[in-house]
Amino acid sequence: MRLPDFEAWAMFAAVVDHRSFTDAAKALSVSKATVSKAVTRLEQHLDTSLFTRTSRRLALTESGRRLAEHAARILAEGAAAEEAARDETAELAGPVRIGAPMTFGLLRIAPLIAQFAKEYPLVDVDLHLSDERIDIVEMGLDATIRIADMPDSSLRARRLADVNMHVVASPAYLATRGRPVHPADLGDHDCLCYANAVPPDVWRFGGPGQQSLTVQVRSRITVNSGEAMLPALRLGVGIARLPDFIVADAMASGELEEILIDWRPQPLGLHLVTPPSRLRPARVGALLDFLARHHGC
């Protein structure tokens, strides 16, 4: 039995992460030739090309793209295993890369990251904020916060809390267009939809007696940021379905009113999502435990 060429797999993962043989070599503190030979060796062993190389561009082949996740996992698990073998009393140090949705990240996660950085001065945190659907393995993230119904996948998801949703509109809109009393009434109204929901114009509700109902709404504006709906909501353009952390202040001030009180949108889960491996550096575990304790709230 021939053992896998773990060094070549790790160097392949580094090239994918840095998108450059030169930058990967610098990160690994080896020569560019060493990295190139390792990748070539792996390609010969697998009998497939992993990269398309030109003088100006380095791109993964289809085979390389499929194998990149395996390579990233090998590199991450090797690094985590080495760190786990070190003295657990050693001071935590090194980088942690974590993702979060844009608005929730700004309001809830960024303050926690600041506090964590103060408590662990040798840990460097790279916080990536985006409402787009991202591949945490491809991006090299150690974890990400997701607010969603999690589909089955190879990722590990820990549900931290529920995020309550509200259907809201401005008093001006309700005075002009009327107040819906049942989700089916939404078909006669203009709605503002969140582009990253799948599909954006299908809203699900839970009602009296554990009833459930799904309705398709007419999207007047579709946008990939919930916070970006607020100006249109305040101007009375339509009705939106948004989470607590976006609309709580506007509801408290009276700028927006909650409607369909008896038919609430199903809450979404606040999840802490990590790659499939249980192995992770101690600094990553420390940050994840810190976020879990605070529930991001």
Side-chain angles (χ1 to χ4, degrees), residues 114-154:
Q115 185 60 40
F116 178 85
K118 185 175 181 179
E119 294 183 20
Y120 297 90
L122 298 182
V123 178
D124 302 322
V125 182
D126 181 353
L127 177 59
H128 176 85
L129 299 180
S130 174
D131 285 332
E132 300 297 325
R133 293 175 177 271
I134 59 174
D135 185 325
I136 68 171
V137 174
E138 182 178 335
M139 292 190 63
L141 297 179
D142 295 299
T144 190
I145 299 289
R146 284 187 181 167
I147 301 174
D149 293 321
M150 293 298 298
D152 291 336
S153 75
S154 60

Side-chain angles (χ1 to χ4, degrees), residues 12 15-16 49-52 57-68 138:
F12 167 49
V15 175
V16 173
S49 295
L50 299 173
F51 293 104
T52 300
R57 188 168 179 266
L58 179 70
L60 284 167
T61 63
E62 182 60 26
S63 294
R65 186 188 63 78
R66 290 197 307 268
L67 294 170
E138 182 178 335

Side-chain angles (χ1 to χ4, degrees), residues 218-272:
R218 176 182 178 272
S219 179
R220 181 81 191 282
I221 296 176
T222 301
V223 62
N224 66 351
S225 167
E227 191 174 25
M229 298 181 196
L230 291 177
L233 276 171
R234 292 185 176 109
L235 288 175
V237 174
I239 297 170
R241 179 189 59 170
L242 288 168
D244 274 332
F245 60 87
I246 291 180
V247 295
D249 289 345
M251 289 169 57
S253 68
E255 287 182 290
L256 299 177
E257 294 183 22
E258 184 171 16
I259 59 176
L260 300 176
I261 302 297
D262 294 330
W263 288 87
R264 293 188 178 275
Q266 296 177 349
L268 298 177
L270 173 66
H271 294 93
L272 190 55

Side-chain angles (χ1 to χ4, degrees), residues 21-202:
F21 278 80
T22 300
D23 291 344
K26 289 179 181 178
L28 297 172
S29 299
V30 298
S31 68
K32 180 181 177 182
T34 297
V35 175
S36 181
K37 288 178 182 178
V39 172
T40 299
R41 191 169 69 240
L42 184 60
E43 289 177 322
Q44 291 173 345
H45 175 61
L46 298 174
D47 194 25
T48 187
S49 295
L50 299 173
F51 293 104
T52 300
R53 305 170 178 84
T54 68
S55 59
R56 294 185 177 181
R57 188 168 179 266
L58 179 70
L60 284 167
T61 63
E62 182 60 26
S63 294
R65 186 188 63 78
R66 290 197 307 268
L67 294 170
E69 180 176 342
H70 295 286
R73 193 178 305 165
I74 289 170
L75 179 59
E77 291 193 4
E82 286 190 359
E83 183 154 338
R86 295 173 189 152
D87 184 359
E88 293 185 359
T89 63
E91 193 166 11
L92 297 179
V96 179
R97 301 189 68 201
I98 187 166
M102 179 63 71
T103 303
F104 188 80
L106 288 169
L107 296 177
R108 306 293 175 84
I109 300 301
L112 295 179
I113 294 297
Q115 185 60 40
F116 178 85
K118 185 175 181 179
E119 294 183 20
Y120 297 90
L122 298 182
V123 178
D124 302 322
V125 182
D126 181 353
L127 177 59
H128 176 85
L129 299 180
S130 174
D131 285 332
E132 300 297 325
R133 293 175 177 271
I134 59 174
D135 185 325
I136 68 171
V137 174
E138 182 178 335
M139 292 190 63
L141 297 179
D142 295 299
T144 190
I145 299 289
R146 284 187 181 167
I147 301 174
D149 293 321
M150 293 298 298
D152 291 336
S153 75
S154 60
L155 300 175
R156 301 177 63 82
R158 177 181 177 185
R159 192 179 183 106
L160 301 180
D162 285 343
V163 176
N164 291 320
M165 306 290 290
H166 305 275
V167 179
V168 296
S170 71
Y173 177 91
L174 297 174
T176 302
R177 299 289 301 273
R179 181 182 297 268
V181 296
H182 188 277
D185 297 338
L186 292 173
D188 297 325
H189 289 266
D190 296 331
C191 295
L192 314 178
C193 295
Y194 182 54
N196 291 325
V198 182
D201 60 350
V202 173

